[in-house]
Each structure stands twice: as structure tokens, then as C-alpha cells.
Amino acid sequence: MAETRTRWPFIDSLRGFAILGILLVNAIDITELGMARLLEGGSRVPDPVRDTLYLTVQTRFVPIFILLFGMSLWMVLDSARARSPRPWLVMVRRMVVLAVIGGLLMFAYPGNILLEYGVVGLLMLPVVLLAPRWATLVGGAVLTVVAYAMFGGGLPSVPGLILLGAGAAAFGLPRALESSGKAVAITFTAAAVLTVPALLWQLTTPGDPRFSTPGGIAGLVMAVLYTTGLALLWRTRARTAIAAIFEPLGRMALSNYVGAAIVMALAASVVDFGHMTAVTPVVALSLAVIVVQSLLSRLWLAHFRYGPVEWLWRTATWLRPVTLRREASQ
């Protein structure tokens, strides 16, 4: 038995886009870029590339990824309700297995977010299971506002964003983004207007925006900007390129997240990133990894229905083998 649900190509592409942004952030942490030099008493050298990442990438993509996780939680639950007499048990297994995957990945990347997603997702599961969809949506919105107002996002924002994603999925956000109607255009315009003061506010607290309220809020505003902007582009000729690059990445998001973390950890074991002063080599390596993963994902999905880690996740969730090869399902 496996969950079957509508696939939204834009949602897959958005997830792949988020994978790119998250890797650009995580790669610096995984490789511990410049940390050895700082521990030896060196000072941080000004780096315009790092500053650009602070303004365009850091804190921008994680909210998108968490929101998509919440949306996926709702969609899988919807399928489990139709296929299992105990959907809550299916979802509990799903969250536990994700936490286990995150725990194992700690050996390569101690800062990975899969463990906390699994744990927080498990804690939020009763709300998504039992509360009306409007309560899930409103509760997620309130928790998200509180988390960003008080802490600038970070871990405290995860419960709210998960509920917000689940509630939004229940009210049809995947379809709305896929079709990119007037509401998406209005939201994009509002986010574009708010981005200017948000960035100016972030600039009042220089450094990594993950550790400041202005940086976190600017990241949330730009996450909305990126999401709606990509949705609007999806309605143009750019859709072909967006889908070609990001849809395979998104359909195998978990495998690509895990794989990229392992590749970066292995690279850090043979390259002395700790004494580097510029982030450009890590950014270049990250982009190369994304290109290779996009190509490999497309090749893999031509023969298989799921990525390898996704297949393991589904098999453990349903406690029986899930059909993997495309030929076997036809």
C-alpha cells in the first residue's frame, strides 16, 4: 500500500528551488568555512559574496521548506484517511521515521533539520488530525507571527509554519499557486513593496541574519516574494526551464537533501575549508552539486517512482514495500 495523491508540478519545483537555497546556507555550516582560522585568532575578512548571501539566501528558503513540509503533512494525511483505518498511526510512523533519518544524518551534518521536523511534526500532528482546517490555519498564522515577533524565526517558528502549511493545503494553496491567479499577484506585489524596508531594517544589524529579528523577518518577507514570484513565472514560458531544473530536485527532495549533506561533509574531510576566507569556493561547489543532482534525479525518475530515501520513508511509513520501479506499476 502507498499513499497516492495529486502531484502538483509547481509545488515540486518550488521544493527543488528551496533545496538550492538551503544547500547554499547549509554548505557553509557543514564545511565549517573559516572556523579554524577564527579559532586560531584570525579575524573575519570582508566578503561581498557572503554579504550577498545574507541578503538573498539566509533565512529566505527555510520558511518555504517548512511550509511545504506542512503542506505535505496534510496531503499525506488526506491520503492516509482514505487508505487506512488508523491514519494517525500511519502519520506517527512517518514522523518517527523522518526523525530517525535526521538522527542518522547527524553523523554527517549535526545541524540538519530533519530530526526537529520529525519531532515538531509529531507534536503538531494532533492539531492537524483533530482541529478544523480553519483552526489549523489560524493557529499556524498566530504562532508564526509570535515566533517572528519575539525570536525572529528560527526553531520557534517551525510549529507555526508547519500548521500554516497544513492549513493552507487544506484550503487549496497548491492549486492556487499552480494556477497563479490574482491573489498570488497581489501577494507578490505586497511582498515586493515590503522587501525594501525589510532589507533596510536588516542592514541595521549586520552579520548572519539567522541571529537577528530584523534578518529573520526580512527572510520571511522575501520567502513570500520568492514563492509568489516563482508562481507567476510558472505561468510564462519560463515554466519549461523552471520545471526542467527544479522539478526533479523537488520530487526527490529528501534524497537530495541527505545526499548533498553527505557530499559536503566528504568534501570538507579532504579540503581545508576551515582556513578559507571567502565563501566563493563553497558556493561554486554547492551549485555544481545541485546541477549534478538535478540531472541524476531526472535520470532516476525515468525508471523509478520515488527517490531512494523517499522509498525507504514510504516503506517504513506503511510497513510494507512500496512499488518502486515504474515498469512494475504499469
Side-chain angles (χ1 to χ4, degrees):
M1 181 184 296
E3 64 266 29
T4 58
R5 60 185 189 273
T6 302
R7 289 214 75 97
W8 301 101
F10 174 75
I11 297 300
D12 284 330
S13 297
L14 178 61
R15 189 178 291 110
F17 181 57
I19 284 289
L20 165 62
I22 287 173
L23 179 57
L24 290 173
V25 175
N26 290 352
I28 297 174
D29 295 336
I30 297 171
T31 59
E32 298 184 343
L33 184 74
M35 290 303 299
R37 185 174 179 277
L38 292 176
L39 292 174
E40 292 169 1
S43 59
R44 191 178 295 280
V45 176
D47 184 354
V49 176
R50 186 191 296 268
D51 293 339
T52 300
L53 292 179
Y54 284 165
L55 293 173
T56 60
V57 177
Q58 290 275 27
T59 71
R60 275 66 175 167
F61 288 90
V62 169
I64 299 174
F65 207 57
I66 303 174
L67 189 78
L68 290 171
F69 177 72
M71 291 171 63
S72 177
L73 189 152
W74 172 267
M75 290 186 282
V76 175
L77 172 60
D78 192 47
S79 177
R81 281 172 168 155
R83 292 176 165 271
S84 172
R86 293 183 291 180
W88 63 270
L89 185 57
V90 173
M91 299 307 297
V92 166
R93 287 199 298 263
R94 184 174 176 85
M95 294 300 103
V96 169
V97 173
L98 182 63
V100 170
I101 293 171
L104 293 174
L105 189 58
M106 290 285 182
F107 290 102
Y109 177 27
N112 84 82
I113 42 77
L114 300 182
L115 177 58
E116 67 186 44
Y117 281 16
V119 172
V120 178
L122 190 62
L123 295 175
M124 294 300 104
L125 189 56
V127 179
V128 180
L129 275 165
L130 302 174
R133 60 179 185 169
W134 66 264
T136 301
L137 182 65
V138 172
V142 170
L143 288 176
T144 299
V145 169
V146 170
Y148 275 89
M150 296 184 63
F151 307 104
L155 181 59
S157 70
V158 176
L161 285 170
I162 288 177
L163 293 182
L164 192 60
F171 277 98
L173 182 60
R175 186 181 300 277
L177 290 172
E178 193 82 28
S179 59
S180 296
K182 183 181 294 185
V184 173
I186 292 172
T187 304
F188 171 79
T189 302
V193 171
L194 291 173
T195 291
V196 175
L199 285 175
L200 292 174
W201 189 23
Q202 179 181 327
L203 289 172
T204 64
T205 55
D208 194 327
R210 290 178 294 181
F211 305 111
S212 72
T213 295
I217 292 177
L220 182 63
V221 171
M222 291 185 69
V224 175
L225 180 73
Y226 289 168
T227 299
T228 53
L230 196 68
L232 292 174
L233 286 174
W234 189 254
R235 296 297 302 276
T236 71
R237 292 180 179 180
R239 173 176 179 159
T240 302
I242 294 170
I245 298 169
F246 295 117
E247 189 177 352
L249 283 170
R251 289 183 60 188
M252 290 178 49
L254 183 57
S255 294
N256 286 322
Y257 180 90
V258 171
I262 293 173
V263 168
M264 286 295 171
L266 290 174
S269 70
V270 296
V271 178
D272 185 14
F273 291 107
H275 288 92
M276 291 185 181
T277 58
V279 303
T280 301
V282 173
V283 170
L285 178 59
S286 299
L287 293 176
V289 168
I290 286 293
V291 169
V292 172
Q293 285 189 323
S294 180
L295 294 172
L296 291 179
S297 295
R298 180 168 294 279
L299 291 172
W300 178 274
L301 291 170
H303 301 285
F304 302 101
R305 299 174 65 201
Y306 309 110
V309 183
E310 284 82 0
W311 179 80
L312 288 171
W313 192 17
R314 283 167 167 78
T315 295
T317 294
W318 293 99
L319 293 182
R320 65 188 68 188
V322 175
T323 303
L324 180 60
R325 292 193 64 88
R326 288 193 174 277
E327 295 81 357
S329 65
Q330 297 173 351

